[in-house]
Amino acid sequence: TSVVDACGVCFGDGSSCSPTCMAYGDPHYKTFDGLWYDFQGQCEYVLVSDCRGGNRSAHGFEVQVRNTLRPALPAAQVTATEAVAIRLPTNASGGYMVLELYRSTLQHRLDGAALMGLIPFMDSYGNVITVDGSRVTAKVGAAGAAVMWDGFSAVSITLEAWSPLHNHSCGLCGNANGSLDTDVSETAMHDHWIANPNTSIASLFPTDISRPQTCVESTVPGSTDPCVTSSQRVAAHLFCMVLQVTTGPYGSCFDTVDPSALYESCVFDHCADPSLACASLKLYESQCLMRGDLEFTSVVDA
């Protein structure tokens, strides 16, 4: 019998886990408080922002995502996250810099300069940026937050226990107040979190790489389901079944991390674009590691 709880704390009760918000694949979202939902908007959006005082700060920590249409699926409104922009506070007087992350490391920018020439990066305000293969991690000292971009379609934001954003965040990630009740209404305000010249929220992306030519939301019921044929569903299940088989490589982690939501998103993504489905497996493995499970067998190569 283990004396270590799901958060890795000896004799803990499982209540101290750092909340993590995720956006991945053909965008699937998990808020800080654990609400899972799908949203296929084709725009740039505020994923999380420092909203202390009840309003977004024009200078504080913020993460925006750029969602673009999957052109291979003309019959469905299916999008994917293709870029991330992070506003990093640099002093208490409103100074900041912007980190842009794309699918190519050569396109990454930090305040307009090529990021790779600045790595590893650390400043006096606690901002630390590291790169490991295609994965980029930015630790934001002032916000008590860590942002991870996998280099393809998945981004996650984890808050430290002391982060001032607990109960003071806003955006598609929710408000991190420990309750699902407010998440349902806040995350449903998709158009409120659009960042472009026609809204009150300025885009953090100065670069037009992959920028959507139009900004639209899916309004037709059922139009977001990419699994059109039975053969698509069968192929998707075969790829994603590692998230269901108790005797499979992830079986040791099932009691600690429920794989059901990630299985559903894996199937959805595989039908839309098989190259995106691996994001669900990567996220499941990262959650298992965060919860202290070191016994599962990884299916993701180096």
Side-chain angles (χ1 to χ4, degrees), residues 219-271:
T219 58
V220 181
S223 67
T224 60
D225 185 1
C227 296
V228 178
T229 67
S230 59
S231 59
Q232 280 182 301
R233 290 190 179 278
V234 169
H237 171 69
L238 290 175
F239 181 88
C240 304
M241 65 185 298
V242 291
L243 290 167
Q244 286 193 321
V245 180
T246 56
T247 56
Y250 295 156
S252 65
C253 191
F254 284 177
D255 289 339
T256 305
V257 180
D258 184 354
S260 56
L262 284 170
Y263 169 77
E264 294 297 331
S265 62
C266 180
V267 169
F268 183 104
D269 291 348
H270 196 279
C271 287

Side-chain angles (χ1 to χ4, degrees), residues 102-109 115-116 131 133-134 136:
Y102 298 93
R103 289 185 171 178
S104 167
T105 57
L106 297 179
Q107 294 173 337
H108 297 340
R109 293 290 183 268
L115 175 65
M116 299 310 291
V131 177
S134 62
V136 180

Side-chain angles (χ1 to χ4, degrees), residues 8-20:
V9 176
C10 292
F11 304 104
D13 60 3
S15 63
S16 63
C17 301
S18 298
T20 297

Side-chain angles (χ1 to χ4, degrees), residues 172-245:
L172 295 179
C173 281
N175 58 14
N177 71 346
S179 171
L180 290 178
D181 296 341
T182 50
D183 279 3
V184 174
S185 58
E186 183 162 339
T187 57
M189 298 188 299
H190 304 144
D191 57 346
H192 180 76
W193 302 117
I194 293 175
N196 68 31
N198 299 319
T199 70
S200 61
I201 301 175
S203 172
L204 295 178
F205 291 95
T207 307
D208 287 334
I209 299 172
S210 298
R211 171 163 283 159
Q213 296 301 306
T214 58
C215 180
V216 297
E217 294 189 26
S218 177
T219 58
V220 181
S223 67
T224 60
D225 185 1
C227 296
V228 178
T229 67
S230 59
S231 59
Q232 280 182 301
R233 290 190 179 278
V234 169
H237 171 69
L238 290 175
F239 181 88
C240 304
M241 65 185 298
V242 291
L243 290 167
Q244 286 193 321
V245 180

Side-chain angles (χ1 to χ4, degrees), residues 5 33 42 60 65 87 102 142 162 169 177 210 293:
D5 70 7
D33 295 325
Q42 179 187 335
V65 290
R87 185 164 57 208
Y102 298 93
W162 56 267
S169 67
N177 71 346
S210 298
D293 188 317

Side-chain angles (χ1 to χ4, degrees), residues 6 26-27 52 79 82 92 96 101 106 134 145 159 180 198 206 210 221 243 269 274 286 298:
D26 294 303
R52 282 176 282 180
T79 61
E82 293 199 353
Y96 65 87
L101 302 174
L106 297 179
S134 62
L159 302 182
L180 290 178
N198 299 319
S210 298
L243 290 167
D269 291 348
S286 68
S298 177

